[in-house]
C-alpha cells in the first residue's frame, strides 16, 4: 500500500490518527442537503472535493514510492495545497487555466467537472483524447444505473461483491453563482475505453483537429484499458493516470508525452506551464486580453461560436474558449517577487487603468515559503493588495467551503466585469518542497507541527464527519480505496514505453511543413488579387505598393505588414511606439490609421509584457506580431521566448501552440546614434533556442517574401519566428556609389508572390564575376559589405559568390555546403561576435559535412559596441572583408 511509504512528518499516519479520533455526528445528514445549514455546497459536493484532495494526496505518496526505487522522476507534490480543488469547483471547466505545480487537486477536480458534463469540456474540436465515449453506466434517459463497484467504506460482502454507497446522492451537481461542482460518481462519462496513444512509444498528435493537415499519414492508435467506472473512483482514475504517467516519463502521458511532468490537457482547457516561477503570468495577461478581444468580435457578429474558424486567410484559427471565459493563473507566494510577476500585474493594472478589459483571475497559493526562503509575515498580502487595477480577494485554503465561496465570488466578479483580480489563498506545505528536501534544516518542530494541524484534507474530512455526511471510518475506507487504485495505476504505468530516441523527443518541437507554407502564400496571393483586391486597393489608398516604385527595406516591410493584416484578420501589431509614432524608424507608419487601434496599438514600456501579450494572444487564436524596439532590449525578456514560447508545442505535443512573428530592430552600424543598447550585435541567445525561426532580411526584395513566409509558417505550423531587421539598412538606398539606388527594389504584385517565395532555411546567392574563386557566406549588414568587397576583388580578377544566409535558424546548411564546395575557399563574414557568433555555426556545419577546402572567418570583436567612431574598431568592415579574402586566396 502507499500508506507504507515513509514521508516527512509521517503524513499518512497523522491523517489516519485524525480520522480515527473524530467522533461520529449525532445524526446522519442527507448528502443532497447543504453540508451545513448555511453552506452553498451539499454534502455530496464536499465529498467530491474530498475525493479530489485524496486522489492528489495519494499521487504525492505514489511519487515518493516510485522515486524510492528509481522509477519516478518528479516528487514536487501538492500536499498542503489541496484546497485548490475548491478553486477548480468555483470555475467552469472551459475557463483556461495555467497551473502552479502544486495543483494536483485542481487538476483532478477539473477532470471530474469535464467528465460529468462533456458539453462543458473545452473546445471539443481540440480534445486531447479522441477515443473517449459515453459512460455505459448511464441509461439513455440519463437515469443512473447502479454501480455495484462503488462504496463509501470499501467494505465487501462475504462473497466479495461491493455494497452500495449510502453517502452518495443520485445527483450531487449544483450550480452556485455560475460555478459548477460535480459528483465524481457520475463522472465516468468521459472514461477511456481505448488508449489514445500508440503502444510503440511514439507520441500521438494531441491535436486531432490538425490530423487532416498532416503531410504524412500515421498509424491509428491501438490498445485498450478498463473504463473509469471499473476503476472504482470515477473520472479521478483518468486524472491519476495522467499524473502518474508524467512522474514516470511515460510516452503515453497525454500532454507532454514523457518530456516533463506538467499539469495540462487541451480538453480540460489546462495549458501546460514548465516553470512556475512567474514566467507564465505575462502569458496569462495576454490570454485575457485576447479572450476579451475575441469576445467583442463575437458581439459584433464576426464569430459565431466556439470552434468556428476566425477569419478566412491562411492564418484562420480556432477560437478555443467560450466568449465569456476567464483565464485563471496560479503561482506560489515566492513568485510574487519575481520580475515576470511584477510585469504581469503591472500590465494588467495598466490596461485596466487605460480602460481595456483583461478577465484574468490570478491565484496566489501562499504557503509562506520559497523552498527554504520565508515570505515575511504580511508581505504577500501587502504586495497583492497594493497592485493598482487588480481586485483583491483572500481565503483560507484549509476551509473548503470558505475557499469555494470566495473563489466563486472572485470568478463571478472577473467574469461579470471582465477585469483582473487576485485570489490570495493561504495554504501550508506538507512533505517539503520535493523528495530531496530536508525541511528540518530550516524549519523547527513547532512550525512543522502547526502546518500538520492545518492539513486541508483532514479539515475537509472533519467537516464531513461533524456534519454527519460520513463517518471517519467511511472516509478512511475511501482514502484507502483511492490509495489502492492509485498504487494499481502506478504499477501499470511503470511498464509503459518511454521516449525511445532523439527523434521521438524532438518530434513535437517545431514541425516544418514547407509545402503547406508555400501553399498558404499562394492562397494569400490569390485572395489579394481576387476577392480581396478591392479591400487591398482601399487599404493602400488606391495606390498598391507595387505601383509605388523602388522601396527601401523599411518601406518593403511596412507594405508586407499591411498585406499581412489584410490576409490575416486576427493579426495584430503591437509594441512600444508602433502605433501613433509608427515605430522609431517609421516601419509601422500609417498602419494604425489603416487598420484601427484594436489591431495596431502601443504597449507599455516592458519587453516581458510585450512578449507575454504575444504568447497569450497566439494561444487564444490570434496571430500576434509584436515588436521589440531594439535587440538589446530583448535580453531583458528572453526567457519568454526560451522558456514559454519555444516550449509550448514541445510540452504539449502540438495540442497547444503560440504562433508569433516577433519583429526586432537590431544589429549594428547605425551612424550618429549608437552605444551598445542601440547597436547590439548579440544573437547567440536566439540561435540557442530549439525550434525558433530566426530571419534576417538584408534587402527590400527579400524582406517582403520572408515576412510572408514567417506569417504563413506561424499560421500553418504554429511557428515562433524572430524577424531581425538590420537598423542600418532600413533606409539604405545605394550599394556601390552614392545615388546608384541599387539597394532599392520594387514590391511585387500578388501575382508574383509565388515566384518570389522564400522558404524557411534557404539562402540567396549573388554571383560576381566568374564566381569560381571564392565563396563569402554572410548575412544582414555583411551582405552589403561583402558585395562591395566582391566588386573590388572582381577588379583584381577574382570571381566571388556571396551567400546571404537570410535564416540564422535553421541555418541553410545544404546551400552552405553546395556553394562552399563550388569554390573550395570559404570566407565567413560574421558581423556578430567571434565567440558565440553565427560564424561558429557555419564553420561547424562545414566540418560536419566533411568540407576539406580552405576556410577563414572575419568577425566582430568580443566586445560591446562603443559609442561613435570607436565602433569601427570592433565591427567588421568592407576593407576587412577584402583583406580576409586576399589572405585566403594567397594560401
Amino acid at each position: 500500500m502507499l500508506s507504507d511509504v515513509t514521508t516527512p512528518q509521517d503524513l499518512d499516519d497523522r491523517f489516519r490518527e485524525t480520522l480515527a479520533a473524530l467522533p461520529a455526528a449525532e445524526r446522519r445528514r442527507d448528502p443532497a442537503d447543504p453540508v451545513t445549514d448555511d453552506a452553498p455546497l451539499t454534502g455530496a459536493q464536499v465529498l467530491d472535493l474530498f475525493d479530489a484532495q485524496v486522489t492528489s494526496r495519494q499521487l504525492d505518496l505514489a511519487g515518493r514510492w516510485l522515486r524510492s526505487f528509481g522509477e519516478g522522476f518528479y516528487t514536487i507534490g501538492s500536499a498542503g495545497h489541496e484546497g485548490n480543488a475548491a478553486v477548480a469547483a468555483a470555475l467552469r471547466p472551459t475557463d483556461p487555466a495555467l497551473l502552479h505545480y502544486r495543483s494536483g487537486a485542481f487538476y483532478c477536480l477539473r477532470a471530474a467537472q469535464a467528465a460529468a458534463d462533456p458539453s462543458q469540456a473545452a473546445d471539443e474540436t481540440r480534445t486531447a483524447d479522441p477515443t473517449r465515449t459515453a459512460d455505459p453506466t448511464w441509461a439513455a434517459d440519463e437515469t443512473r444505473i447502479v454501480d455495484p463497484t462503488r462504496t463509501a467504506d470499501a467494505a465487501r460482502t462475504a462473497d466479495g461483491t461491493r455494497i452500495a454507497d449510502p453517502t452518495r446522492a443520485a445527483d450531487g451537481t449544483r450550480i452556485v453563482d455560475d460555478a459548477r461542482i460535480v459528483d465524481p460518481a457520475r463522472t465516468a462519462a468521459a472514461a477511456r475505453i481505448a488508449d489514445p496513444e500508440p503502444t510503440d512509444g511514439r507520441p500521438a498528435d494531441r491535436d486531432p483537429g490538425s490530423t487532416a493537415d498532416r503531410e504524412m499519414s500515421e498509424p491509428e492508435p491501438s490498445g485498450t484499458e478498463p473504463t473509469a467506472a471499473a476503476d472504482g473512483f470515477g473520472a479521478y482514475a483518468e486524472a491519476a493516470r495522467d499524473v502518474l504517467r508524467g512522474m514516470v516519463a511515460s510516452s503515453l502521458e497525454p500532454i507532454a508525452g514523457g518530456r516533463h511532468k506538467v499539469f495540462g490537457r487541451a480538453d480540460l482547457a489546462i495549458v501546460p506551464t514548465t516553470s512556475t516561477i512567474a514566467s507564465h503570468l505575462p502569458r496569462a495577461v495576454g490570454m485575457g486580453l485576447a479572450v476579451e478581444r475575441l469576445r467583442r468580435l463575437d458581439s459584433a457578429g464576426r464569430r459565431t461560436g466556439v470552434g468556428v474558424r476566425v477569419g478566412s486567410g491562411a492564418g484562420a484559427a480556432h477560437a478555443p474558449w467560450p466568449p465569456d471565459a476567464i483565464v485563471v493563473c496560479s503561482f506560489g507566494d515566492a513568485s510574487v517577487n519575481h520580475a515576470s510577476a511584477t510585469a504581469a500585474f503591472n500590465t494588467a493594472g495598466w490596461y485596466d487603468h487605460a480602460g481595456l478589459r483583461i478577465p484574468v483571475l490570478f491565484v496566489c497559493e501562499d504557503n509562506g515559503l520559497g523552498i527554504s526562503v520565508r515570505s515575511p509575515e504580511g508581505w504577500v498580502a501587502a504586495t497583492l493588495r497594493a497592485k493598482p487595477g487588480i481586485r483583491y480577494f483572500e481565503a483560507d485554503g484549509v476551509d473548503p467551503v470558505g475557499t469555494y465561496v470566495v473563489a466563486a465570488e472572485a470568478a463571478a466578479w472577473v467574469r461579470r466585469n471582465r477585469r483582473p483580480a487576485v485570489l490570495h489563498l493561504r495554504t501550508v506545505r506538507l512533505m517539503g518542497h520535493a523528495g530531496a528536501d530536508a525541511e528540518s534544516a530550516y524549519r523547527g518542530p513547532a512550525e512543522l507541527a502547526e502546518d500538520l494541524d492545518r492539513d486541508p484534507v483532514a479539515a475537509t474530512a472533519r467537516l464531513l464527519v461533524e456534519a454527519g455526511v460520513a463517518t471517519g471510518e467511511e472516509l478512511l475506507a475511501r482514502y484507502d480505496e483511492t490509495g489502492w487504485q492509485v498504487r494499481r495505476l502506478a504499477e501499470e504505468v511503470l511498464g509503459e514505453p518511454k521516449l525511445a530516441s532523439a527523434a521521438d523527443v524532438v518530434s513535437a518541437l517545431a514541425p516544418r511543413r514547407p509545402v503547406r507554407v508555400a501553399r498558404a502564400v499562394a492562397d494569400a496571393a490569390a485572395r489579394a488579387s481576387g476577392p480581396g483586391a478591392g479591400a487591398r486597393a482601399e487599404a493602400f489608398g488606391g495606390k498598391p505598393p507595387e505601383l509605388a516604385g523602388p522601396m527601401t527595406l523599411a518601406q518593403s516591410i511596412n507594405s508586407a505588414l499591411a498585406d499581412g493584416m489584410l490576409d490575416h484578420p486576427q493579426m495584430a501589431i503591437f509594441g512600444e511606439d508602433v502605433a501613433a509614432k509608427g515605430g522609431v524608424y517609421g516601419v509601422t507608419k500609417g498602419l494604425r490609421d489603416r487598420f484601427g487601434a484594436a489591431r495596431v496599438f502601443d504597449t507599455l514600456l516592458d519587453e516581458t509584457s510585450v512578449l507575454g501579450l504575444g504568447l497569450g494572444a497566439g494561444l487564444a487564436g490570434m496571430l500576434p506580431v509584436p515588436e521589440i524596439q531594439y535587440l538589446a532590449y530583448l535580453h531583458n525578456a528572453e526567457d519568454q521566448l526560451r522558456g514559454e514560447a519555444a516550449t509550448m508545442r514541445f510540452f504539449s505535443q502540438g495540442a497547444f501552440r503560440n504562433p508569433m512573428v516577433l519583429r526586432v530592430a537590431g544589429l549594428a552600424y547605425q551612424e550618429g546614434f549608437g552605444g551598445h543598447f542601440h547597436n547590439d550585435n548579440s544573437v547567440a541567445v536566439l540561435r540557442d533556442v530549439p525550434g525558433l525561426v530566426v530571419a534576417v532580411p538584408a534587402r527590400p526584395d527579400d524582406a517582403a517574401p520572408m515576412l510572408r513566409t514567417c506569417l504563413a509558417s506561424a499560421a500553418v505550423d504554429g511557428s515562433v519566428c524572430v524577424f531581425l531587421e538590420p537598423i542600418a539598412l532600413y533606409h539604405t538606398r545605394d550599394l556601390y556609389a552614392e545615388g546608384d539606388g541599387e539597394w532599392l527594389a520594387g514590391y511585387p504584385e500578388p501575382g508574383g508572390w509565388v515566384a518570389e517565395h522564400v522558404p524557411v532555411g534557404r539562402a540567396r546567392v549573388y554571383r560576381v564575376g566568374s564566381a569560381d574563386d571564392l565563396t563569402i557566406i554572410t548575412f544582414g549588414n555583411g551582405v552589403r559589405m561583402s558585395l562591395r568587397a566582391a566588386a573590388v576583388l572582381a577588379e583584381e580578377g577574382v570571381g566571388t559568390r556571396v551567400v546571404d544566409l537570410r535564416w540564422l535558424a535553421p541555418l541553410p546548411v545544404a546551400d552552405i555546403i553546395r556553394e562552399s564546395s563550388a569554390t573550395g575557399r570559404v570566407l565567413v563574414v560574421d558581423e556578430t561576435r567571434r565567440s558565440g557568433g553565427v560564424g561558429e555555426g557555419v564553420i561547424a556545419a562545414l566540418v560536419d559535412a566533411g568540407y576539406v577546402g580552405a576556410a577563414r572567418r572575419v568577425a566582430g570583436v568580443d566586445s560591446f559596441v562603443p559609442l561613435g567612431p570607436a565602433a569601427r574598431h570592433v565591427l567588421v568592415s568592407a576593407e576587412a572583408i577584402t583583406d580576409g579574402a586576399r589572405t585566403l586566396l594567397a594560401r
Side-chain angles (χ1 to χ4, degrees), residues 46 153 157 198 212 218 469 521 570 656:
V46 177
D153 61 3
T157 59
E218 297 179 354
V469 176
V521 171
Q570 75 281 20
F656 294 102

Side-chain angles (χ1 to χ4, degrees), residues 71 357 360 554 682 836 859:
E71 290 291 346
R357 298 303 181 222
V360 176
S682 175

Side-chain angles (χ1 to χ4, degrees), residues 367-511:
N367 62 27
L369 291 162
I371 305 183
S372 66
V373 179
R374 301 174 191 274
S375 294
E377 183 66 31
W379 169 252
V380 175
T383 300
L384 295 177
R385 286 180 183 274
K387 300 300 182 185
I390 300 178
R391 181 74 173 268
Y392 178 87
F393 297 85
E394 62 179 339
D396 184 355
V398 176
D399 174 9
V401 175
T403 296
Y404 174 80
V405 169
V406 176
E409 179 187 358
W413 188 88
V414 174
R415 200 181 309 279
R416 180 173 61 253
N417 295 286
R418 317 305 294 170
R419 297 176 64 188
V422 61
L423 170 60
H424 181 195
L425 186 67
R426 292 187 299 278
T427 65
V428 295
R429 189 183 73 186
L430 305 176
M431 295 203 298
H433 174 73
D437 182 29
E439 283 191 296
S440 59
Y442 56 89
R443 302 184 75 193
E447 182 184 356
L448 293 170
E450 183 179 347
D451 276 0
L452 279 168
D453 291 339
R454 285 175 46 78
D455 183 345
V457 184
T460 304
R462 188 176 297 111
L463 171 63
L464 289 166
V465 172
E466 291 175 353
V469 176
T471 67
E473 292 80 3
E474 289 168 345
L475 294 180
L476 182 58
R478 295 171 86 102
Y479 175 83
D480 280 339
E481 174 66 14
T482 298
W484 279 112
Q485 297 291 359
V486 169
R487 168 69 178 263
R488 178 182 63 81
L489 290 175
E491 291 174 346
E492 286 181 7
V493 301
L494 277 175
E496 292 183 346
K498 307 291 192 293
L499 294 169
S501 67
D504 284 348
V505 173
V506 303
S507 61
L509 179 61

Side-chain angles (χ1 to χ4, degrees), residues 289-348:
L289 188 68
V291 164
E292 184 62 11
R293 178 183 182 272
L294 295 175
R295 185 182 75 88
R296 293 176 183 272
L297 287 178
D298 283 347
S299 301
R302 281 169 283 181
R303 187 162 66 90
T304 57
V306 176
V308 176
R309 292 181 74 80
V310 181
S312 58
H318 286 284
W321 304 299
D324 64 344
I326 68 173
V327 179
V328 61
C329 177
S330 62
F331 54 98
D333 54 287
S335 293
V336 166
N337 306 301
H338 199 280
S340 296
T342 299
F345 294 138
N346 187 66
T347 301

Side-chain angles (χ1 to χ4, degrees), residues 12-226:
D12 179 80
D13 290 341
R14 283 289 300 260
F15 181 71
R16 293 174 181 280
E17 292 170 4
T18 299
L19 288 184
L22 293 176
E26 293 182 1
R27 64 180 181 86
R28 294 296 292 248
R29 182 183 296 264
D30 187 339
D33 292 337
V35 70
T36 60
D37 292 341
D38 59 348
L41 298 177
T42 66
Q45 291 170 324
V46 177
L47 278 168
D48 294 339
L49 295 179
F50 178 76
D51 285 344
Q53 292 177 331
V54 165
T55 302
S56 178
R57 178 64 57 84
Q58 294 287 3
L59 286 169
D60 287 351
L61 295 175
R64 304 290 177 121
W65 176 67
L66 290 164
R67 184 70 186 91
S68 69
F69 53 90
E71 290 291 346
F73 308 103
Y74 196 92
T75 55
I76 296 179
S78 303
H81 285 243
E82 291 93 349
N84 56 39
V87 178
L91 296 161
R92 297 176 183 170
T94 50
D95 290 330
L98 298 93
L99 296 180
H100 186 246
Y101 49 36
R102 301 194 189 279
S103 299
F106 185 112
Y107 186 80
C108 291
L109 201 286
R110 171 63 67 91
Q113 284 178 313
D117 186 355
S119 67
Q120 287 292 307
D123 185 6
E124 292 183 307
T125 64
R126 297 174 52 127
T127 181
D129 185 351
T131 65
R132 291 185 188 152
T133 187
D135 180 3
T137 65
W138 280 89
D141 63 355
E142 294 190 348
T143 57
R144 184 67 168 165
I145 299 174
V146 177
D147 178 0
T149 67
R150 187 67 166 152
T151 181
D153 61 3
R156 295 178 184 266
T157 59
D159 64 358
T161 60
R162 289 280 189 180
I163 62 174
D165 179 356
T167 69
R168 291 260 170 193
D171 185 352
T173 302
R174 183 180 178 188
I175 298 176
V176 180
D177 200 4
D178 281 341
R180 184 181 296 272
I181 184 168
V182 302
D183 180 351
R186 303 182 59 210
T187 58
R192 301 184 186 188
I193 61 168
D195 194 332
E197 292 88 3
T199 57
D200 60 359
R202 176 182 51 78
D205 188 335
R206 304 309 303 171
D207 184 357
S210 68
T211 301
D213 292 334
R214 298 178 194 167
E215 291 189 344
M216 297 181 66
S217 61
E218 297 179 354
E220 292 298 319
S222 60
T224 60
E225 59 191 17

